[in-house]
């Protein structure tokens, strides 16, 4: 097998709730890769989210920022929890995440929605709908739109109101559509643009710009978001590359995640102009099961696999992690969310994946 000889600096942000538990298993997988290759990883752990509010009074403190700036890639668990619901909105854990995405410039969020053979029976969708499996990618714009537009609550003597602005600039739309085009080129040259162009000006702009930047040999389907949310459960196999705004992508990716049987399974990569990316599962911090060693680490382990592929150009090693996860699941080894009667713990699952990585190398 071809050896990769890099040395990479990974800033690790465990975050809150189940964050530390799931991140530990992804680190194990990366360690197993480094033990079997010439590539070395330096892990630099920093406080982030609620944990950073507790230790330093803000969710994205200065030294975490510096560590993210100097990193080759960022591995993130999850953030937030009831504990910080009462804090000032400007320093909520979520604000730290949004600030980091903006600061690192990761405008493109890739969320692959993929069923595994061994868990597809857990999908709430009928077998006839799943067919041979679902495999599409949601390309979510991540640093613009309503998340970052002007927002305000006005409490005046005669009225109380609030607003959040959905703003998209041409360059923001162009670059995300270009990324979607690259992704589509690796699949079937088809892009579904999800919007609400029957109501929103910003959506109309997306459509206009799509006609300018997406080459003619790419087939573009336009779909309203309300219809898309229905089609995702009615006939998910019709999608390969879906591109959409920040908020629509947030909502649709949670919806799509349940197709795979558990929201715990899905990874994501947030990418910008250079190779630095933020890699995190799409699920939240699940404070209700934190500290019990029962969370599903698959989404985070697969996020580490995405890191190898997109930030370090280690496609082979990335596939090894994916195959290891798949092999372990195929043996019926699952966490409680997937197999409530007969399950392994978070750390046992991670150990199995790591062991499997060693044996894949041994047999290659
Ligand atoms: C996600 C999360 C975040 C988002 C929250 C925590 C701000 O739901 O990554 O999908 O809405 O982007
Ligand atoms: Mn979300």
């Amino acid at each position: 097998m071809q050896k990769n000889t890099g040395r990479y600096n990974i800033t690790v942000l465990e975050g809150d709730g189940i964050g530390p538990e799931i991140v530990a298993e992804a680190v194990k997988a990366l360690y197993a890769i480094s033990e079997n290759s010439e590539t070395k990883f330096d892990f630099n752990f920093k406080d982030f989210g609620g944990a950073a509010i507790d230790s330093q009074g803000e969710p994205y403190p200065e030294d975490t920022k510096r560590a993210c700036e100097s990193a080759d890639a960022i591995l993130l668990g999850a953030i937030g929890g009831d504990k910080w619901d009462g804090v000032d909105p400007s320093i909520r854990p979520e604000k730290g995440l949004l600030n980091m995405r903006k600061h690192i410039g990761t405008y493109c969020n890739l969320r692959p929605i993929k069923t595994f053979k061994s868990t597809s029976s857990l999908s709430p969708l009928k077998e006839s709908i799943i067919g041979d499996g679902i495999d599409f990618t949601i390309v979510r714009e991540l640093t613009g739109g309503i998340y970052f537009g002007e927002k305000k609550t006005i409490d005046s003597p005669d009225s109380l109101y609030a607003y959040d602005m959905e703003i998209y600039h041409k360059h923001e739309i162009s670059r995300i559509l270009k990324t979607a085009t690259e992704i589509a080129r690796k699949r079937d040259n088809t892009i579904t643009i999800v919007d609400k162009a029957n109501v929103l000006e910003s959506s109309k702009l997306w459509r206009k710009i799509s006609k300018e930047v997406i080459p003619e040999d790419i087939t573009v389907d336009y779909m309203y978001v309300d219809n898309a949310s229905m089609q995702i459960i009615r006939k998910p196999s019709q999608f390969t590359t879906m591109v959409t705004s920040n908020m629509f992508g947030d909502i649709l990716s949670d919806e799509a995640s349940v197709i795979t049987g558990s929201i715990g399974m899905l990874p994501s990569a947030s990418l910008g102009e250079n190779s630095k990316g933020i890699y995190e599962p799409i699920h939240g911090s699940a404070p209700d099961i934190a500290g019990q060693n029962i969370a599903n680490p698959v989404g985070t382990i697969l996020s580490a696999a995405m890191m190898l592929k997109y930030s370090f150009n280690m496609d082979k090693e990335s596939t090894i992690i994916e195959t290891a996860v798949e092999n372990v699941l195929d043996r019926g080894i699952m966490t409680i969310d997937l197999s409530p009667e007969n399950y392994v713990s978070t750390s046992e699952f991670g150990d199995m994946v790591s062991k499997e990585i060693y044996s894949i190398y041994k047999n290659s």
Side-chain angles (χ1 to χ4, degrees), residues 63-139:
D63 73 318
T64 303
K65 247 183 223 169
R66 297 285 94 83
C68 290
E69 276 169 9
S70 62
D72 295 310
I74 299 157
L75 178 67
L76 170 62
I79 50 115
D82 308 346
K83 188 178 169 196
W84 302 281
D85 273 351
V87 306
D88 187 276
S90 66
I91 59 153
R92 272 185 75 97
E94 291 80 358
K95 191 76 185 161
L97 181 58
L98 300 184
N99 286 347
M100 178 175 68
R101 289 172 177 168
K102 192 81 170 178
H103 174 224
I104 305 300
T106 50
Y107 59 83
C108 171
N109 184 219
L110 301 181
R111 298 192 160 183
I113 311 296
K114 202 172 162 204
T115 47
F116 289 92
K117 270 205 188 72
S118 48
T119 59
S120 67
S121 65
L122 301 167
S123 171
L125 298 188
K126 287 188 202 134
E127 251 171 67
S128 59
I129 292 180
I130 299 280
D132 290 339
I134 304 304
D135 184 3
F136 67 98
T137 299
I138 297 180
V139 182

Side-chain angles (χ1 to χ4, degrees), residues 111 140 250 254 282:
R111 298 192 160 183
R140 170 188 175 195
D250 177 47
D254 262 36
I282 81 156

Side-chain angles (χ1 to χ4, degrees), residues 202-278:
S202 51
S203 291
K204 284 182 209 147
L205 187 61
W206 275 66
R207 289 199 180 194
K208 179 172 149 50
I209 290 169
S210 71
K211 294 188 177 96
E212 292 170 21
V213 304
I214 302 178
E216 268 176 18
D217 62 318
I218 301 280
T219 307
V220 180
D221 294 324
Y222 299 94
M223 193 179 276
Y224 297 141
V225 64
D226 44 355
N227 183 25
S229 72
M230 177 177 73
Q231 297 298 338
I232 282 174
I233 50 173
R234 199 186 71 85
K235 197 180 172 210
S237 59
Q238 70 187 283
F239 301 115
T240 47
T241 304
M242 177 187 284
V243 62
T244 191
S245 65
N246 203 342
M247 186 151 80
F248 293 162
D250 177 47
I251 298 166
L252 293 179
S253 57
D254 262 36
E255 184 197 358
S257 73
V258 296
I259 294 176
T260 62
S262 167
I263 193 172
M265 311 286 278
L266 292 191
S268 86
S270 303
L271 309 169
E273 295 298 348
N274 54 32
S275 63
K276 187 188 302 193
I278 305 168

